[in-house]
Amino acid sequence: MSHGARVIRTGVSSGGPVDPPPIAVASSSAGSDAELIEGSYFRSFAGMLKMAQMISLLIGFISVNNSPWTDYSAYSFFQIVTMCDLVMILFFYIIHIFRVYRSLTCVSWPLSEFLHYLVGTILLLIGSIVAAAKSYNLTGLVAGATFGFLATILCVISMWSSYKVSCITQSTSE
């Protein structure tokens, strides 16, 4: 069985040896591909926004966890939503830092991140509203609901900055 013609590429042409490429170009291209961690994502707007979301979710979870509860179902829902949202944001943060999206091309990463933010933000908003309504002026519960609202706002900002749709009017020329 023939599998077709195969092409084998070499660095040397049939005319003779070719001068090696400059060292600066070779090391810069090899260095960018060989680096394990993308350091620029730490300092980017999206990276700092994800970090602020994770910190506000963690503070909200800890403040609700360490205060006396008056309604078990409301605050257990709030804790589950904050931890699930925190884990998913951490998951996408690690995917961006280690450039996993380059090797796993079968997954639409922008779409999956958008759907996560959409569902997570709605659930976090519901949990924060319920937690604020059932807080009965206990400081830990009010602080947890406040940080839940802050994380909701940060998630909306992240969705807006990453997935804003610009309406462009098209003119018809005759």
Side-chain angles (χ1 to χ4, degrees), residues 69-153:
W69 292 2
T70 54
D71 189 0
Y72 181 77
S73 62
Y75 291 106
S76 62
F77 175 75
F78 181 79
Q79 284 186 323
I80 289 170
V81 167
T82 54
M83 277 296 104
C84 288
D85 214 15
L86 179 97
V87 167
M88 287 305 294
I89 291 172
L90 180 65
F91 174 73
F92 284 115
Y93 191 72
I94 290 171
I95 283 184
H96 282 289
I97 288 176
F98 291 110
R99 299 180 194 154
V100 176
Y101 58 89
R102 289 185 180 174
S103 60
L104 290 176
T105 57
C106 60
V107 177
S108 175
W109 292 108
L111 179 63
S112 62
E113 193 168 3
F114 176 75
L115 290 176
H116 156 258
Y117 274 119
L118 184 67
V119 172
T121 302
I122 291 170
L123 289 176
L124 189 60
L125 180 64
I126 292 169
S128 298
I129 290 171
V130 170
K134 304 268 183 172
S135 65
Y136 304 113
N137 292 327
L138 295 172
T139 56
L141 302 178
V142 171
T146 303
F147 279 103
F149 283 122
L150 176 65
T152 304
I153 292 169

